[in-house]
Amino acid sequence: MPKYSFVIDIQYKSNVRDPRGETIKRVLNDEHNIPVSTLRLGKSIHLEIEAENENEAQVLVERACKELLVNPVTETYEVKRR
């Protein structure tokens, strides 16, 4: 069965506070004199799916996102084929 590689980019929704991102931004500005105006953290998940075809693999990745990988209350996501 063929394997398909995907990257899932997960970010906090814009209305959700990102305390880790705020801390890193503050440290870069105050301690390293790097003028960062916006910084938000996210996560990237790289996975390989075995499926009959690319469409089936895409459906399985979307299902994984909705059922386990992404919190729809606080996060958004984007799936990219690698």
Side-chain angles (χ1 to χ4, degrees):
M1 193 172 309
K3 295 180 183 178
Y4 300 92
S5 296
F6 294 88
V7 176
I8 305 161
D9 180 36
I10 303 171
Q11 299 289 324
Y12 284 119
K13 289 183 175 179
S14 60
N15 64 336
V16 175
R17 191 168 166 256
D18 179 8
R20 288 176 58 207
E22 291 169 4
T23 300
I24 293 168
K25 177 184 173 276
R26 182 181 46 76
V27 169
L28 287 171
N29 281 316
D30 298 347
E31 297 178 19
H32 297 276
N33 200 28
I34 299 172
V36 176
S37 60
T38 304
L39 189 148
R40 294 184 61 83
L41 293 182
K43 55 188 165 187
S44 178
I45 299 172
H46 298 244
L47 55 90
E48 195 172 80
I49 297 279
E50 290 186 16
E52 292 294 327
N53 57 56
E54 187 173 343
N55 287 339
E56 180 185 337
Q58 181 77 34
V59 168
L60 292 171
V61 171
E62 290 289 337
R63 188 172 137 210
C65 289
K66 291 176 182 170
E67 293 181 7
L68 179 66
L69 302 176
V70 178
N71 178 347
V73 174
T74 61
E75 298 171 322
T76 61
Y77 70 96
E78 180 182 4
V79 176
K80 300 173 192 166
R81 175 87 162 84
R82 245 184 1 153

